[in-house]
Amino acid sequence: MTALDEAVRVLRAGGLVAFPTETVYGLGADASNPEAVKGIFAAKGRPAGHPLIVHLASEDQLSSWARDTPPSALQLARAFWPGPMTLILKRAQGVIDEVTGGQNSVGLRIPSHPMARDLLAAFGGGVAAPSANRFGRISPTTAEHVRTELGDRVDLILDGGACDVGIESTIVDLSSGVPVLLRPGHISIRQLESVLGQPVGRASQASPRASGTLEAHYAPSKPLLLVEPARLKATIAEQSRAGVVAVLSPQSPFTDVVVAIWRQAPASSEDYAHDLYAALRELDASACTTIIVEAPPESGQWMAVRDRLQRSAAGSQTHAT
Ligand code: TXA
Ligand code: MG
């Protein structure tokens, strides 16, 4: 039996399969089986009531999951699926509350990773999958990360190598008539607007609950400080007096301050995103006591990376207290 056959067997039996997508690894279960979906929450330690994304093999399946598919959804689907985008649409009848968190909407995505596509095509149904990490922690971008996070809480891990994009999908809410960005990602607001020919709003506090939009998220276990470039050197000097400092910055290592670990980040936002979670895991596992990250530019191109770093910093404060 191939790993893929075995994965399909596990999903049909109500088990959990971790699988690679182009964004991050997902923790998958049969999206039409309430008990299987409950297993996801148990394995992650995620509070019930947080909605999950349903992963599909093809657009033909949309009508089984979404009650209506507005023209804007079809435009975005044509432009960006298969790929790193999730659409929030009005849910079809029969979509279970365990998946939607009891909301009237459902999150749908057609991923492009070949192994995810093969799995979804062979399984035939929808696969509910959040990122395959413990709740609030750093998302996994390799099979090894999933093993470290979840161990035997998952029945099977498909290994598809390191994820291309490296951060979670762009989420666009189309369930209310006007498009709203719930989570920035590799596909930028500008790309969405150019396909839609209309402005895309930003999520407000009143938007539907999305765990990726909680302040504390993607968090290492050590305190993480996000520092503007102008304050970097002074902060390193300050922090190294109290402990062991690790730095993530696109600059080459400073020679006039003491730094235990310096990880040089890629200069482009795409490469930075690709490496981000692996870098944070590595620094978190190092002998450092504090992680200092140089804040990337505020331009639209860096929006998704900045978003994840801000949440990592906020989340690490929560753990620290
Ligand atoms: O790239 C990704 O999206 C990855 C891969 C595995 O596909 N998945 C992922 O899932 O990041 P998760 O559960 O970690 O984040 C999904 C986000 C959550 O913030 C969730 O609350 C939101 O999507 N979401 C799902 N359904 C929703 C809905 N009906 N309304 C509002 N937000 C929703
Ligand atoms: Mg997640």
Side-chain angles (χ1 to χ4, degrees):
M1 205 188 250
T2 65
L4 187 68
D5 294 335
E6 178 64 14
V8 170
R9 195 194 60 75
V10 170
L11 288 176
R12 295 218 166 108
L16 300 180
V17 174
F19 63 99
T21 82
E22 68 281 18
T23 59
V24 299
Y25 274 71
L27 178 63
D30 180 351
S32 55
N33 177 340
E35 291 311 313
V37 174
K38 283 183 194 155
I40 293 177
F41 289 86
K44 277 185 68 102
R46 191 186 216 188
H50 286 261
L52 300 174
I53 296 170
V54 177
H55 297 70
L56 303 172
S58 96
E59 262 184 63
D60 307 340
Q61 293 163 288
L62 277 184
S63 58
S64 312
W65 297 91
R67 173 147 50 89
D68 83 293
T69 318
S72 55
L74 295 178
Q75 285 174 307
L76 291 179
R78 301 269 140 78
F80 302 118
W81 276 346
M85 176 187 72
T86 297
L87 296 181
I88 308 295
L89 300 172
K90 290 189 179 122
R91 71 156 147 181
Q93 246 186 349
V95 180
I96 60 178
D97 285 343
E98 284 77 4
V99 162
T100 64
Q103 305 188 65
N104 282 324
S105 58
V106 62
L108 300 170
R109 172 160 120 78
I110 301 179
S112 64
H113 192 293
M115 209 174 260
R117 288 179 67 76
D118 288 348
L119 176 68
L120 292 165
F123 177 63
V127 172
S131 50
N133 51 280
R134 301 287 188 97
F135 180 65
R137 294 296 184 178
I138 302 167
S139 301
T141 54
T142 68
E144 188 52 39
H145 294 164
V146 179
R147 243 169 253 126
T148 313
E149 284 280 319
L150 297 174
D152 56 15
R153 290 165 172 238
V154 48
D155 297 302
L156 182 79
I157 302 173
L158 290 175
D159 189 345
C163 302
D164 267 356
V165 173
I167 54 172
E168 303 79 358
S169 59
T170 304
I171 305 183
V172 191
D173 186 356
L174 296 174
S175 66
S176 69
V178 286
V180 176
L181 181 76
L182 296 188
R183 181 172 70 184
H186 178 76
I187 294 168
S188 68
I189 210 163
R190 188 186 295 176
Q191 284 175 288
L192 299 169
E193 288 178 340
S194 97
V195 168
L196 290 173
Q198 62 170 312
V200 171
R202 300 293 314 276
S204 68
Q205 294 297 328
S207 299
R209 178 178 35 200
S211 71
T213 64
L214 291 179
E215 181 116 312
H217 222 76
Y218 316 108
S221 60
K222 307 215 169 126
L224 184 151
L225 305 176
L226 188 60
V227 179
E228 296 302 326
R231 288 273 312 143
L232 185 60
K233 193 170 286 181
T235 309
I236 293 171
E238 235 165 73
Q239 291 295 324
S240 358
R241 268 179 247 128
V244 182
V245 166
V247 173
L248 178 65
S249 159
Q251 306 190 53
S252 34
F254 296 161
T255 48
D256 50 350
V257 283
V258 183
V259 182
I261 300 143
W262 189 290
R263 181 153 171 152
Q264 197 169 349
S268 84
S269 57
E270 269 94 14
D271 295 344
Y272 194 111
H274 174 86
D275 287 3
L276 174 61
Y277 291 146
L280 292 182
R281 274 172 192 279
E282 190 185 302
L283 297 179
D284 200 27
S286 76
C288 77
T289 50
T290 305
I291 302 168
I292 299 179
V293 180
E294 178 176 339
E298 289 202 39
S299 62
Q301 199 189 347
W302 286 91
M303 184 176 174
V305 164
R306 268 187 84 99
D307 168 79
R308 301 311 189 277
L309 285 171
Q310 277 156 353
R311 292 172 205 290
S312 294
S316 76
Q317 305 305 328
T318 310
H319 295 317
T321 55

